[in-house]
Amino acid sequence: MQCWNCNTETAPGTLTCPRCSKVQPLAPGSTYFEAFGLKPTVDVDLPGLERVYRERSLQVHPDRFSTAQARERRFALEQSTLLNDAYRTLKDRASRAFYLLKLNGLDLSKEDAGTQKDMPLSFLEEVMELREALDGHRERGRLEAALEMAGEVSVRRSTALADAEASLRQLLAHLDEENSRRDASHALARVRYFTRFLEEVNAMEEEALG
Amino acid sequence: MSGGLLQIHDPLKPAGQAVGIDLGTTNSLVAAVVNGQPRCLPVDEAGGTLLPSVVHYAAEGGVLVGAQARSQASRFPTSTLASVKRFMGKGRADAETRKLGSYRFAEGAGDVVRFEVAGGAPVTPIEVSAEILRTLKRRAEAFFSAKVERAVITVPAYFDDAQRQATKDAGRLAGLEVLRLLNEPTAAALAYGLDKGSQGTFAVYDLGGGTFDVSILHLVDGVFQVKATGGNSALGGDDFDRAVAEQVLSAEKLTAPTPEQVTTLLAASRAAKEALTTQEVTTLEWEGRRTDISRAQLEAWIAPWVEKTGPVCRRALKDAGLKVTELDGVILVGGATRVPAVRRFAETLFGRAPLGDIDPDQVVALGAAVQADLLTNAQRQDEVLLLDVIPLSLGLETMGGVAEKLIVRNTTVPTAAAQVFTTFQDGQTAIDIHVVQGERELVADCRSLARFRLSGLPPLAAGMTRVEVRFEVNADGLLAVSAREQATGAVQSMTVKPTHGLTDEEVEQMLLDSIEHAEADMHARQLAEQRVEAQRMLADAAKQLRENGDLLEARERSGLEAAMADVKRLSEEADADTLREAIHALDERAKPFIELVMNRAMTRALVGHSVEQP
């Protein structure tokens, strides 16, 4: 890589040129981990992530370049956009896990990901049961009961997330990749379902708040 | 000594001071960092810093802005536009247009609000706001004796994309390069935070004339990170005035007031509301009728509006993942937070006394000035950074009228997101894309921002054509949409039509028109200003003649009357310069008379004083 302004050689992922300090364009296909100078990992040090986020934001935020030339402003916007999107994704355990699985070849946000089909039957039964119970509470306006269910579901969600993380650690260490990927995707499908369930209860609560 | 003389003009950059502008519903201000300190600049002869956000369109042409415009409101209610910010980025059917007011709405191209005014074609809220911005620009230029061409303009944090775009267009129309649209609560936090070098988590409760915002911010090491924001862009002190006015109307059993009546009643209601900030009881005088109003009554009438701010604050805290007890401070912003009931409500809600040492009317403009300085002053750029969020989710219409969110509310900007669409019919060569903003599930309940058609797709079997629609939101919170057909990789032709705004072409045309008519406009404005001045002088002189005419000898009196007749005659003609001379002549004539009147008043006061001595 070479600096667009002064042709100095720059390492991949460089934010600003070490010589002329101009903002560099985003390397194509930069990952969220690269935006923080990290290797893909389940275990992110959050205070460290936040600190790097602040430091790099100060370096590349478009407000720092409002009087710069158009080209550098564009690069700053791209770098800052990636940094914001990366920070939002990596600071949250669940979204970080989904992202890691995506980096490893399985994007659960795509409808044709095919994970629902091979989910174990027991999970589908669990889903039906929870759904019927919540619908019942909603129809009778029993917010308290729904909140109680939410408490229990959020415990299940935590467990599923921990399971997913364990499988992702295996996957990242290249141990039994086939099974690790499948286990991670099943666990994350559970996380996704429980998250939606909690969002529905949340919506009920907001409606009750008026 | 300031470095002004040593500054070298860089031909590549626009010259002059960058200013911060608070374009408010009720009042607007312009501020700048002068000798390292933010300060509000004078906008009138008396040195006041509040420019009433009122624009008057005179029948003979010419536009007045500020206090001069407001003085015309009772005579020309429909051509004197106040609180226009409420209509920025709104469509003709918006609920705002149905609230009590003296506006006359006009038809016109596109679904954009237009006001019928005297002296020319209907005007959009963007053009009216541009008049206010132009006046502020001129006042700042007078203060600095130099061109002012760059500004940070504040917007309510809860403004949607259409409202932000409208504000930016108004800036452009006023001949300003808008460096940044800055959220008002964030600006306020900046004004506070820099002063104190604070760290911690703060809530900003901002209740202005027409909008309510709440923002939760985290300050650390010079980075102001907005965690969550919420609000209601149709809630403010104006609603309190209307609540009072509606009580008076119903007490008087007046169901169809004239525009004149609405204007004068709203002004009287505002005065009563303001009086009740310090008094327990006040008398509202309107059309010769006197209504006593107590503070308790006012509080009961406005309670529904004040209480609306509660759930909004609770939701913002929840979105930020915080409890009230985790806050380190609360900042009150906006003129409506002077109302004791509002202060009390905010205090109870947040469980602590708010910070209030900066004037709530000025704090937003001061923060905007700081941001303008940060953006343009290279020496200051390492100090402070604002990381703001979008207030409302952005999405696309999908099958069945459902809104699919691409970027959720409270996402830090700048940000981007993409979504892939496929065709659903064989041989389909176009896709309609509808961009919406809001939290609701159905498109019908969200704000429609823009529609566009992506055409020229290869005619393939259903589902084979894949189109990626990409949203990019910049630091202003403004959205740009692009679409790319994935097989060919080519960005396809598309026309974006803002649902409730002006197209770029329309803004360009207005800009060209305003340049072309700049000289005529300036003459018309000067004439209109002189006419207002003439009106004021004639009314004053007539009053003094009535009350103290006996002080004048017949010769003096007829001289004065002749000067008055000159002013009166010339104010009906169209030459600003001759009118100005006539006003000057009248002023000179009146001086000895005014001196006599002053002497009499003084003597009477002294006599009265000695009589009261024990």
Side-chain angles (χ1 to χ4, degrees):
Chain A
M1 297 283 285
Q2 278 192 341
C3 171
W4 57 274
N5 183 53
C6 71
N7 295 329
T8 301
E9 278 300 319
T10 58
T14 303
L15 286 185
T16 56
C17 172
R19 187 156 144 234
C20 69
S21 67
K22 295 278 186 206
V23 175
Q24 299 300 301
L26 210 54
S30 302
T31 70
Y32 291 163
F33 286 101
E34 283 161 2
F36 282 89
L38 293 171
K39 292 232 165 357
T41 173
V42 171
D43 303 289
V44 167
D45 162 43
L46 285 182
L49 190 77
E50 196 187 335
R51 197 183 57 246
V52 175
Y53 174 60
R54 277 201 306 274
E55 285 166 7
R56 296 199 172 199
S57 290
L58 274 164
Q59 277 182 284
V60 298
H61 194 279
D63 281 359
R64 301 283 317 278
F65 301 92
S66 66
T67 56
Q69 64 191 97
R71 192 168 175 193
E72 197 180 13
R73 286 212 306 267
R74 180 73 214 165
F75 295 152
L77 180 65
E78 286 172 2
Q79 291 280 10
S80 183
T81 297
L82 177 73
L83 192 62
N84 282 331
D85 295 348
Y87 180 59
R88 189 180 61 252
T89 305
L90 298 188
K91 74 179 176 187
D92 176 68
R93 272 174 67 197
S95 62
R96 190 195 314 147
F98 280 100
Y99 182 66
L100 277 169
L101 188 63
K102 182 179 164 188
L103 284 183
N104 282 277
L106 200 53
D107 185 354
L108 290 188
S109 69
K110 288 216 175 93
E111 278 167 28
D112 50 8
T115 44
Q116 290 291 20
K117 268 174 283 177
D118 61 313
M119 286 296 284
L121 199 60
S122 61
F123 176 63
L124 298 180
E125 283 167 0
E126 186 184 0
V127 165
M128 299 284 279
E129 219 172 276
L130 286 170
R131 171 122 314 280
E132 275 174 30
L134 183 62
D135 285 348
H137 294 325
R138 185 180 299 124
E139 275 159 29
R140 293 178 190 79
R142 292 197 300 235
L143 182 61
E144 282 304 312
L147 287 173
E148 200 173 307
M149 271 186 87
E152 195 204 312
V153 166
S154 78
V155 174
R156 289 193 214 178
R157 181 180 179 275
S158 299
T159 312
L161 183 54
D163 290 349
E165 289 176 338
S167 300
L168 285 167
R169 280 189 200 99
Q170 297 259 329
L171 181 60
L172 291 172
H174 305 289
L175 297 169
D176 195 6
E177 292 186 40
E178 193 80 6
N179 285 326
S180 300
R181 184 179 292 115
R182 192 202 56 229
D183 291 349
S185 95
H186 281 178
L188 284 177
R190 288 169 64 88
V191 169
R192 186 169 59 177
Y193 176 75
F194 293 140
T195 305
R196 281 193 195 147
F197 183 93
L198 294 172
E199 280 168 1
E200 279 188 46
V201 176
N202 196 17
M204 267 178 84
E205 199 184 352
E206 279 199 15
E207 218 165 285
L209 273 176
Chain B
M1 197 189 90
S2 82
L5 290 174
L6 297 174
Q7 276 174 3
I8 295 163
H9 178 63
D10 178 352
L12 290 175
K13 288 176 186 167
Q17 178 91 23
V19 296
I21 291 178
D22 174 3
L23 182 61
T25 308
T26 316
N27 292 300
S28 297
L29 299 90
V30 58
V33 170
V34 183
N35 297 327
Q37 282 297 317
R39 57 166 289 188
C40 290
L41 308 181
V43 295
D44 56 35
E45 283 76 16
T49 58
L50 294 180
L51 181 77
S53 301
V54 184
V55 177
H56 170 70
Y57 291 84
E60 312 80 17
V63 179
L64 295 176
V65 178
Q68 283 182 326
R70 197 163 57 187
S71 72
Q72 305 300 303
S74 57
R75 289 176 62 205
F76 306 103
T78 57
S79 292
T80 307
L81 303 171
S83 297
V84 159
K85 188 174 178 178
R86 289 167 42 207
F87 303 101
M88 292 290 266
K90 295 288 169 83
R92 276 197 296 270
D94 194 274
E96 275 297 322
T97 62
R98 292 192 292 274
K99 287 184 179 173
L100 183 63
S102 57
Y103 308 97
R104 201 154 60 206
F105 297 102
E107 297 296 311
D111 188 14
V112 99
V113 170
R114 281 169 212 267
F115 305 102
E116 199 92 61
V117 291
V123 290
T124 61
I126 296 174
E127 293 162 89
V128 181
S129 301
E131 293 293 351
I132 298 168
L133 292 171
R134 217 172 271 142
T135 301
L136 293 172
K137 177 178 187 278
R138 273 200 299 268
R139 302 293 151 87
E141 286 174 339
F143 179 84
F144 288 113
S145 305
K147 283 248 173 250
V148 170
E149 285 167 338
R150 297 178 299 170
V152 168
I153 302 178
T154 61
V155 288
Y158 211 60
F159 255 19
D160 64 29
D161 191 75
Q163 293 168 302
R164 283 168 199 270
Q165 192 60 59
T167 307
K168 191 156 189 174
D169 287 343
R172 255 173 79 198
L173 213 49
L176 288 166
E177 182 197 341
V178 182
L179 294 169
R180 182 85 134 72
L181 296 176
L182 178 61
N183 290 328
E184 287 161 11
T186 312
L190 192 54
Y192 268 96
L194 280 187
D195 252 23
K196 315 223 160 31
S198 333
Q199 308 263 319
T201 307
F202 296 84
V204 182
Y205 180 102
D206 178 358
L207 190 61
T211 57
F212 171 65
D213 282 330
V214 59
S215 286
I216 313 293
L217 293 102
H218 186 59
L219 272 72
V220 56
D221 297 339
V223 176
F224 288 60
Q225 197 182 347
V226 179
K227 293 288 186 184
T229 197
N232 183 337
S233 63
L235 169 66
D238 276 12
D239 291 299
F240 301 171
D241 303 343
R242 277 193 292 273
V244 174
E246 275 158 8
Q247 290 293 331
V248 174
L249 288 178
S250 80
E252 302 282 345
K253 299 197 171 42
L254 201 57
T255 50
T258 65
E260 286 80 0
Q261 286 177 315
V262 171
T263 301
T264 51
L265 177 56
L266 284 175
S269 301
R270 173 188 302 265
K273 172 191 77 178
E274 286 171 0
L276 289 172
T277 296
T278 49
Q279 296 160 217
E280 286 297 326
V281 184
T282 191
T283 305
L284 185 150
E285 288 195 47
W286 178 62
E287 303 219 315
R289 285 166 274 210
R290 297 165 64 88
T291 315
D292 285 334
I293 301 173
S294 71
R295 190 187 285 175
Q297 272 177 308
L298 174 77
E299 290 182 355
W301 297 339
I302 67 175
W305 279 275
V306 179
E307 280 159 15
K308 270 189 183 185
T309 66
V312 177
C313 293
R314 281 192 285 273
R315 192 176 82 165
L317 276 167
K318 198 169 164 207
D319 284 354
L322 289 170
K323 293 189 187 66
V324 151
T325 48
E326 292 172 278
L327 292 175
D328 296 299
V330 175
I331 299 171
L332 292 193
V333 183
T337 61
R338 289 217 166 84
V339 174
V342 173
R343 297 190 78 86
R344 228 169 37 233
F345 186 84
E347 243 181 277
T348 315
L349 189 69
F350 291 108
R352 70 185 66 232
L355 304 172
D357 34 351
I358 306 183
D359 182 342
D361 283 324
Q362 292 199 353
V363 63
V364 167
L366 294 172
V370 171
Q371 174 71 349
D373 191 46
L374 287 170
L375 290 176
T376 55
N377 188 342
Q379 282 108 53
R380 295 200 57 188
Q381 295 206 330
D382 291 327
E383 291 174 21
V384 174
L385 183 67
L386 305 180
L387 294 171
D388 224 313
V389 300
I390 54 159
L392 294 152
S393 302
L394 289 162
L396 287 164
E397 175 168 356
T398 60
M399 299 294 271
V402 173
E404 176 160 340
K405 290 171 186 147
L406 262 73
I407 300 176
V408 297
R409 71 165 190 254
N410 292 322
T411 296
T412 307
V413 292
T415 189
Q419 170 87 2
V420 174
F421 283 80
T422 57
T423 47
F424 59 94
Q425 274 178 348
D426 289 343
Q428 188 178 341
T429 57
I431 289 181
D432 284 319
I433 290 167
H434 185 197
V435 184
V436 297
Q437 187 162 29
E439 307 312 313
R440 306 282 296 277
E441 292 297 315
L442 294 180
V443 164
D445 298 321
C446 290
R447 285 274 287 155
S448 167
L449 293 182
R451 290 173 188 275
F452 62 90
R453 167 165 286 195
L454 192 63
S455 53
L457 302 176
L460 301 176
M464 293 303 289
T465 308
R466 296 170 70 87
V467 174
E468 187 191 69
V469 178
R470 190 173 159 82
F471 280 19
E472 290 178 50
V473 181
N474 67 12
D476 291 333
L478 285 173
L479 172 70
V481 184
S482 61
R484 204 166 59 100
E485 200 275 300
Q486 287 193 313
T488 59
V491 176
Q492 297 286 334
S493 65
M494 58 177 180
T495 48
V496 181
K497 199 173 173 303
T499 312
H500 303 292
L502 301 174
T503 61
D504 268 358
E505 292 74 32
E506 285 174 293
V507 175
E508 285 302 327
Q509 190 55 49
M510 284 176 178
L511 208 54
L512 287 174
D513 288 350
S514 73
I515 293 167
E516 196 176 311
H517 300 137
E519 205 171 331
D521 285 352
M522 193 185 69
H523 282 296
R525 176 171 54 81
Q526 284 174 349
L527 182 61
E529 281 174 4
Q530 293 302 324
R531 280 183 173 140
V532 170
E533 183 61 13
Q535 233 178 59
R536 192 186 62 77
M537 291 270 299
L538 289 174
D540 260 12
K543 178 168 176 277
Q544 292 305 337
L545 274 181
R546 236 182 2 258
E547 290 170 5
N548 298 297
D550 56 301
L551 289 170
L552 289 177
E553 288 170 22
R555 192 175 47 81
E556 290 169 331
R557 188 183 178 106
S558 66
L560 192 60
E561 280 170 346
M564 285 168 70
D566 274 352
V567 169
K568 198 163 163 36
R569 180 172 51 79
L570 287 168
S571 73
E572 277 146 30
E573 288 173 17
D575 186 344
D577 289 336
T578 2
L579 178 56
R580 184 183 298 112
E581 280 163 26
I583 290 171
H584 185 70
L586 173 58
D587 199 32
E588 287 298 315
R589 280 270 183 197
K591 262 183 194 157
F593 176 39
I594 297 301
E595 215 160 284
L596 292 172
V597 173
M598 295 282 281
N599 283 341
R600 167 181 280 181
M602 193 86 82
T603 317
R604 281 181 182 162
L606 284 175
V607 170
H609 192 68
S610 59
V611 166
E612 279 168 24
Q613 291 288 327

